[in-house]
Amino acid sequence: MVEFNQSIIRENIPTASYNRTSEVPAQANDSYTCRFCTAPLRPDQLIDGLCNHEECRHLATFACQRQLSCSHICGGIRDEEICLPCMNCRKPDTNIKQDADDLCVICFTDRLGGAPCIQLTCEHVFHYRCVQTVLEKRWNGPRIVFRFMQCPLCKKQSGIREVGRTEVFPRGHFRVLDAQGDLIIDVIYYYSIIPYLLSVISFNFQIDHPSVADLLLPLKHLYNEVLSKARLRLEYDGLLQCPAITSESSEYYNNPNEYAMERYMYVLCFKCGKAYFGGESRCQQVSCFIC
């Protein structure tokens, strides 16, 4: 029979509590909590800095794994040429405007450090998946609108492209290419109006990042299609010199494009995916057009 000596057992127990920060450099303290949910990690989880939650493991599949010069893990997504500036340090020499503990203003449910993020051209940061969701869901209701493509924080306009050349084909088909030769507009008109082309076509886009380029491309083409049709209808209705455009007190002063987009309503055909005229927006009625 073995007799256990309680005094010997007590002597072998350390009197001081274990301090996990004493064995690692101070700048590596973040690795002891999950990089996404900040839950405490077990010793076997310290290598990848992730807890066992399924959501955190899923986020890690498209999160950047590179370590920044400040010793923090990059909060961006995989395969970016330039890492997202650190949102934990927020050094003065970086162009980051938000903190890792700030809420994503798209979902308003999780902090920016809780999921991989991307930085738009306006330098605002949002969850990568949130930006994807906004572009996939597009607009609400039948009327085509593009406000969802603006940055939720600054609503800034960008993406101005100069027209390089215009190619006109039979039956009202014409194409507009930018200075680099990329297609801007490819439309067929079935009424005899010579298209009035601007020297500059501007987009109200600010959500712009290489990771969502495949979602942005069809939306940009749709925007150009709606803009060109609305501008032609404005000219056809003889409203290019209306007070809404010529009056200095008007919000559309010298801005016929925005006035045309606001005045006319376009809906998307569910068969061909083209934009069709649905009446004036002030009527608040949309006709169902089918090819």
Side-chain angles (χ1 to χ4, degrees), residues 43-266:
D44 61 316
Q45 298 172 335
L46 299 182
I47 296 179
D48 54 7
L50 292 172
C51 65
N52 285 334
H53 290 297
E54 183 179 352
E55 177 65 19
C56 295
R57 293 286 171 177
H58 171 68
L59 293 174
T61 59
F62 58 91
C64 182
Q65 305 297 328
R66 286 176 284 185
Q67 189 177 42
L68 304 177
S69 59
C70 61
S71 298
H72 290 115
I73 301 297
C74 175
I77 60 176
R78 288 180 184 265
D79 303 326
E80 283 190 288
E81 294 184 5
I82 302 176
C83 279
L84 182 73
C86 183
M87 292 186 291
N88 295 294
C89 298
R90 293 184 62 190
K91 294 182 178 180
D93 57 341
T94 60
N95 59 351
I96 200 75
K97 299 179 180 179
Q98 293 149 280
D99 189 88
D101 291 327
D102 291 343
L103 285 178
C104 172
V105 299
I106 295 180
C107 64
F108 284 102
T109 58
D110 198 2
R111 63 189 189 94
L112 291 173
C117 297
I118 57 175
Q119 187 176 33
L120 306 183
T121 54
C122 61
E123 300 181 354
H124 288 129
V125 179
F126 306 96
H127 290 152
Y128 168 62
R129 289 299 191 193
C130 291
V131 174
Q132 270 193 326
T133 301
V134 168
L135 296 179
E136 288 171 353
K137 289 186 175 180
R138 299 186 170 190
W139 57 87
N140 293 322
R143 183 187 179 186
I144 301 174
V145 293
F146 297 94
R147 298 185 187 93
F148 70 95
M149 300 186 69
Q150 297 177 351
C151 170
L153 286 174
C154 63
K155 305 291 185 182
K156 189 177 179 182
Q157 294 185 357
S158 70
I160 295 178
R161 296 165 66 184
E162 295 184 359
V163 173
R165 69 178 188 273
T166 303
E167 299 176 351
V168 181
F169 302 93
R171 297 185 60 191
H173 181 198
F174 77 94
R175 300 196 306 171
V176 181
L177 293 87
D178 63 11
Q180 287 72 38
D182 295 328
L183 183 66
I184 298 180
I185 301 176
D186 188 356
V187 184
I188 297 178
Y189 288 94
Y190 293 100
Y191 40 87
S192 57
I193 301 177
I194 299 177
Y196 181 86
L197 300 178
L198 304 175
S199 59
V200 172
I201 295 180
S202 62
F203 308 111
N204 289 329
F205 303 144
Q206 191 58 42
I207 294 182
D208 196 3
H209 192 271
S211 63
V212 291
D214 57 334
L215 294 173
L216 284 172
L217 184 60
L219 291 171
K220 290 180 179 180
H221 288 322
L222 180 62
Y223 176 87
N224 282 302
E225 180 185 352
V226 174
L227 174 61
S228 59
K229 289 182 176 181
R231 176 61 189 250
L232 283 172
R233 183 164 290 275
L234 191 71
E235 182 182 7
Y236 180 76
D237 291 343
L239 297 175
L240 286 177
Q241 300 299 322
C242 68
I245 299 175
T246 58
S247 175
E248 295 185 3
S249 60
S250 172
E251 60 177 314
Y252 303 108
Y253 176 63
N254 281 341
N255 195 349
N257 287 351
E258 290 296 326
Y259 179 66
M261 293 284 283
E262 180 64 28
R263 181 182 179 90
Y264 301 118
M265 184 184 302
Y266 285 86

Side-chain angles (χ1 to χ4, degrees), residues 12-31:
N12 293 331
I13 298 177
T15 55
S17 60
Y18 174 68
N19 185 0
R20 66 183 182 185
T21 63
S22 61
E23 299 181 5
V24 294
Q27 64 269 23
N29 288 346
D30 291 348
S31 63

